[in-house]
Amino acid sequence: MTTHIDIKNLSYSYPDGTAALKSLSLSFKEGQTHALIGANGAGKSTLLLHLNGTVLPQCGSVFIRDCEVSKKTLYKVRQQVGMVFQNPDDQLFMSTVFDDVAFGPSNMGMKEEMIDECVDSALNQVGLKHLAGRHPTHLSTGEKKRISIATVLAMEPDILVLDEPSAGLDPGARRMLINLLKSFAHTKIIATHDLDMALDTADTVTLLYQGEIFAQGSPVEIFNDRKKLEQCGLEQPLSISRY
Amino acid sequence: MDKNAQIISGAIEVLHRNVDTGTPAASLDPRAKIIVTAVFVTVVVSYSKYSVLDLLPYFAFPLFLIVIGSISLKALFKRMLPAAVFAVMVGIANPFLDPNQVVINNYAFSAGWVSFLSILIRFSLCAAAAFLLILTTEMSRINMALKYLGVPDVFINQMFFMERYIVLLADEALKISRARAARSFGKKGYGITVFTNIITNLLLRTYTRAENIFNAMQSRGFTGTLVRGNKLKWKLYDTLFLLSWIIFFLSVKFNLIGSF
Amino acid sequence: MHMSDALISPAVGGTGYFASAAVIGYSIYKIKQQSDNIKVPLMGVLGAFVFAAQMINFSIPGTGSSGHICGSLLLAVLLGPYAAAVVITSVLLTQALFFADGGLVALGCNIINMGLIPCFIAYPLVYKTIAGVNSDKRRIWFACIAASVIGLQLGAGAVVMETTFSNISELPFSSFVMLMLPIHLPIGLIEGMITASVLVMLKQTRPDILSETVLSDNKTFPPLKKVYISFVILALITGGIVSWFASSHPDGLEWAIDKTTGKEELETENSVMVKAAEFQEKTAFLPDYAFSDADSRTSELAGTSVSGIIGALITLLISVAVGIFVRVMQGRKLISENG
C-alpha cells in the first residue's frame, strides 16, 4: 500500500511560545483509516490543521503524495484533502444545506448543472438528501455532522480528515456516523477521544503526547497497553477494559 | 425568567421568521418589493406634519401585502407594538408644544394632536412596510436582490454572515445570561462590571468562532463571493406589481385621483 | 438614538443617504484594497456580536434604569474605521428591517450619527490621538471615555439638527438640545468605561487581536501634554463649528414655520409657552445666542460661537476631570498593588 500522506520533522509553536508539535514524523497509508488519539493539548488538532494547509509548517514538511503543502499548492491540496472541523456550526455557514454542500464545488469553478449533481450525490452518500432546502440552524447535531461531511465529499477528495466527528452525538447518531465512515473508501485521518469508535474503525492508531508521538501501531496493540494510555492521560476503551 | 433572557428570547423570535414560500407575496421578485417599499416610505415621509387624511389611502399597500402574503395580523402587531412605543414617546410632545389650530373639513382641531396623529400614522405605515418586506422575503433572496441592485460584495457578505450568526450569538448570550442568573439569587439587572465580563467573554468566543469559520471556508476554497446573484427571474407579474403601486403612490401624492 | 421615519423629511433623509453612501462606499473600497479574507467572517460575526450585546441591558448605578451599549467605538478599535463603519451599517439596517428600530428613510442619518461619527471622528481624532497603538491602561481609559463622550455628544447633536431640519416634530431646537446633550453625557461616560474595560481585558487575554486588527500608522504616541493641547483645540473648533450651524437655524425654522402655518413665527399665546420663554430668558446668560439684540449678523455669529465655545469648554472640563479622576484611581491602585 502506498504512502498517501508523509509528514517529516514537523514542528509548530504557538505565538506565546508553547510548543504544540515537536519534530513529528509520521506517514499515513492510502485507503486506510488512521486514528489520532491523545489528551487535550497533545497536538492532535494542530497536526490536523497542517494536513490541508490551514496552518503552514514552521519547520519540517507535509507531503500529500508527492505534492508538498505550501502557499502555492493550497488550492490543489484542499481539493484532495477534505477537512471536517469539530464544530458543525462553524462549518455550515450558508443559509441552506444545499448551498453549504455546493460551496466547495462552486468555488472550484464547477458549472451549475454539475454542481447540482455533485450536491445530490454527496447528500445521498450521507443519507440526507431530503434536508437540502433546510436552514442549518434547525437541524440536529447528528444531521449537522453528517452534512458537514457531505460538504467536503462534494469536492471529491481522496483524503478525509475529521476532528472529533462523534463528539456530542447521541448513541443512534453516533452509530450512523460510524457506519457511514466505514462505508467510505477514502484515506481517513480521525482525531478522536472516542476510543471505542477508534477501535471499531481504525487500521492504525497514533498516540500523541505533548506534541510528540508516544506510540504507534494497530488498534489492538495500542489499546491493550493500559500503562501507555494512562501515561498520556487516557484510558482503555470500554470495550476492552470491560472484558 | 431573567429580564435580559426575556429580551434576548423575544429578539430571537423576531429574527427567526418563517417565510411562507408558497404565497404570491413570496414569489414576487425581491427587487420589485424592495423598490416599491423604498418608494412607499419616501412618499409617506414627504407629507407635511399635519397630514392625516391624506395619508390614509397609503394603508392600501400594507393591507395588500398582508392579504397576498397570508400574514397573521397578530404576528404583525406583535412586532409593531414595541416599535410603536418609540413613536409615541417622540410624538407625545407635539400636543403640548403646538398651540395652533388646524382646520380640516371645516372643523378646527388642536394642531398638536393632529401632528401627533400624523406621526403615529407615518410610523405605522413605514414600520408595517419594513416588516412586511422581511416577512414575505427570505434573507437569501433579499441578499440576491441587493447584489443585483449593485450593492458591493463586501456588504452583501456582511449581511449574509450577520443573519446566519445572530441567532447563534444571541443563544450564547442567553446561555451566559442564564448561567449568571442561576448564581445571582434574585439580584436583578447586571452591574456594569458583570456586564463587561459577559460581553468580553462573548467577544472572545466570537473571535474563536470567526477563526474557525474562516478555516472552514478556506478549506473549501473560498474566493471572496458568497452569494451568487443569478437565480432571480423577473416576471410580468413583477412588472405589474412594480408599476401599479408606484403609479398609485404618485397619483395619491399629486392628487391625481381627484377625490380631495 | 435611532431616528424614526415618523420624524424625518425626505430632504433630510435623502441628504443623509447621499452622505453615508459616499463614505460607506469609500470604506468598502478601502476594505477591498486590504483583501484580507479573514475579515469576511470576522466582520459578520462581530456584527452579530454587537447585535447580541445590544440586547443585554445593564443597570445604570444610581438611577435604577437600564441601558445598553452602542459598540461603535469598540468596533472601530477592533476592526479599524472602515470595516467598523460597514459593520455598524449592517446592524442598523437589520434593526430597521426587523425591529423598526430606526426608520428606513432615516437610515442614512442613523448611519451618520451612530456609525460615521464614532468611526471617522471620535476614533481617529480622539481615541487614536490619545491612545495610539499598544498603549497602557491609563491611556486606553482616557481615550475611550473621551472618544465615547465626544462621539455621543456629536451624534446626539446631529440627531437634533436632523430632526429640526425635518420639521415634523414640534420640539424647538434649543429645548431639544438641552434635552439630548446632557442625557448622552453619562451614557457616553459609561460606554467609554465599558469599552476601556473590554479592551484592557482583551489586551491581557488575546493581545494578538488588538495588534493584528488595529490599522494604525501611529507607531509612537505623543506625550500626554501634547494630547491635552490638541484636545482643547479640537473641542474649541468643534464647538465653534457646531454652533455656527446652529445659528443659521432660527432663519431656517422661521422659514419652515412660515410655510406650514402662514405665520412668521409661532405666536406664543399659549401660557405654557410664554412661561417657558420667560424662564429661558432668565436662565440663559446668552439669550438667543447673541451678545446684544443688534440685528448685525456678525455680532450674532460671534455671540453664537462664544456660547458654543463655552459649551465646548464645559464638555472639555468634564472629560479632563474624568481623566484626572481615572489617573488618581490608577495611582491609588498602583500604590496598593506595590504596597
Side-chain angles (χ1 to χ4, degrees), chain A residues 162-234:
Chain A
L162 301 111
D163 196 351
E164 304 287 352
S166 63
L169 294 182
D170 63 49
R174 177 180 169 275
R175 183 45 54 189
M176 263 197 267
L177 178 86
I178 293 177
N179 292 337
L180 189 64
L181 291 178
K182 278 165 136 171
S183 71
F184 293 146
H186 309 70
T187 306
K188 298 183 278 295
I189 321 288
I190 306 177
T192 184
H193 282 309
D194 187 347
L195 302 183
D196 287 279
M197 177 180 81
L199 185 61
D200 205 346
T201 56
D203 297 303
T204 75
V205 175
T206 307
L207 173 56
L208 283 188
Y209 180 62
Q210 292 184 349
E212 290 175 312
I213 298 178
F214 200 79
Q216 225 182 341
S218 72
V220 172
E221 278 169 22
I222 302 289
F223 291 135
N224 274 312
D225 196 335
R226 204 186 76 177
K227 208 166 142 209
K228 276 208 177 121
L229 286 169
E230 283 174 6
Q231 269 179 299
C232 297
L234 302 175

Side-chain angles (χ1 to χ4, degrees), chain B residues 91 152 228 239:
Chain B
R228 292 168 295 157
T239 315

Side-chain angles (χ1 to χ4, degrees), chain C residues 26-37:
Chain C
Y26 179 67
S27 305
I28 291 179
Y29 165 72
K30 289 294 271 187
I31 293 172
K32 281 217 282 241
Q33 262 195 333
Q34 283 146 20
S35 59
D36 194 0
N37 269 338

Side-chain angles (χ1 to χ4, degrees), chain C residues 133-187:
Chain C
V133 172
N134 263 339
S135 40
D136 60 31
K137 204 167 165 179
R138 210 172 55 185
R139 276 191 191 244
I140 291 182
W141 270 78
F142 185 26
C144 282
I145 292 177
S148 194
V149 167
I150 292 178
L152 274 165
Q153 290 296 291
L154 289 176
V159 170
V160 175
M161 295 213 298
E162 289 150 5
T163 309
T164 318
F165 272 124
S166 293
N167 191 36
I168 309 282
S169 160
E170 286 298 335
L171 280 175
F173 179 78
S174 44
S175 323
F176 204 2
V177 166
M178 289 313 292
L179 195 66
M180 286 288 276
L181 261 50
I183 286 181
H184 284 86
L185 208 53
I187 295 177

Side-chain angles (χ1 to χ4, degrees), chain A residues 52 89-92 100, chain B residues 164-165 209 219-220 228:
Chain A
N52 81 338
D89 275 315
D90 298 340
Q91 182 115 5
L92 304 175
D100 260 308
Chain B
R164 170 72 180 92
Y165 287 99
R209 159 152 279 150
S219 300
R220 278 142 69 195
R228 292 168 295 157

Side-chain angles (χ1 to χ4, degrees), chain B residues 4 11 49 90 98 190 211, chain C residues 7 45 55 57 59 170 206:
Chain B
N4 267 312
K49 67 163 102 176
V90 156
D98 192 347
Y190 297 149
E211 283 157 0
Chain C
L7 294 180
V45 185
M55 290 196 268
N57 284 355
S59 39
E170 286 298 335
R206 290 275 318 252

